[in-house]
Amino acid sequence: MTAVVIGIGFRSAAPASAIIDVIETARRAANPHQPSALATAADKADHSGLREAATTTALPILPIDATALEQATARITTSSAVVAHHRGVGSVCEAAALAAAGPTARLIVSRLISQDRLATAAVAIEEPLP
């Protein structure tokens, strides 16, 4: 089965509603592909808003370590200097999605931002090896 993963980035003040908002926007944008998991930076995986969003959307959380995020950086399509300064990657959501979907993954939805601007999401799909 082809992996389709929603990567999530968010500020620590992000409520579950912001994270759910951006997950649902990402799901619509990825249609007809059906994401099977959420991925985020490992140090944010236990955030209460993310856990609530995962329960609400029925998607498991995949924690992605800093090394895997960094390795996916070359494949991201958007970049924030502020995020890069604080997190070491220009887009946590894109890097997390790519890292979780695998080394041959590509983005099918670039960074989306929640209405309150506290959460972001991107969707990656695994590409088969030639």
Side-chain angles (χ1 to χ4, degrees), residues 13-53:
S17 59
I19 299 170
I20 293 167
D21 169 50
V22 80
I23 290 169
E24 294 305 332
T25 301
R27 277 182 155 166
R28 286 190 298 276
N31 193 34
H33 303 287
Q34 297 297 314
S36 59
L38 304 173
T40 196
D43 65 322
K44 294 244 182 170
D46 287 331
H47 183 274
S48 61
L50 179 63
R51 286 194 320 266
E52 184 178 334

Side-chain angles (χ1 to χ4, degrees), residues 1-79:
M1 184 164 120
T2 301
V4 179
V5 180
I6 299 175
I8 302 292
F10 54 91
R11 295 178 186 245
S12 41
S17 59
I19 299 170
I20 293 167
D21 169 50
V22 80
I23 290 169
E24 294 305 332
T25 301
R27 277 182 155 166
R28 286 190 298 276
N31 193 34
H33 303 287
Q34 297 297 314
S36 59
L38 304 173
T40 196
D43 65 322
K44 294 244 182 170
D46 287 331
H47 183 274
S48 61
L50 179 63
R51 286 194 320 266
E52 184 178 334
T55 299
T56 300
T57 60
L59 293 170
I61 300 168
L62 304 173
I64 307 299
D65 66 38
T67 300
L69 290 174
E70 188 177 304
Q71 289 171 346
T73 298
R75 296 180 285 150
I76 66 172
T77 61
T78 61
S79 186

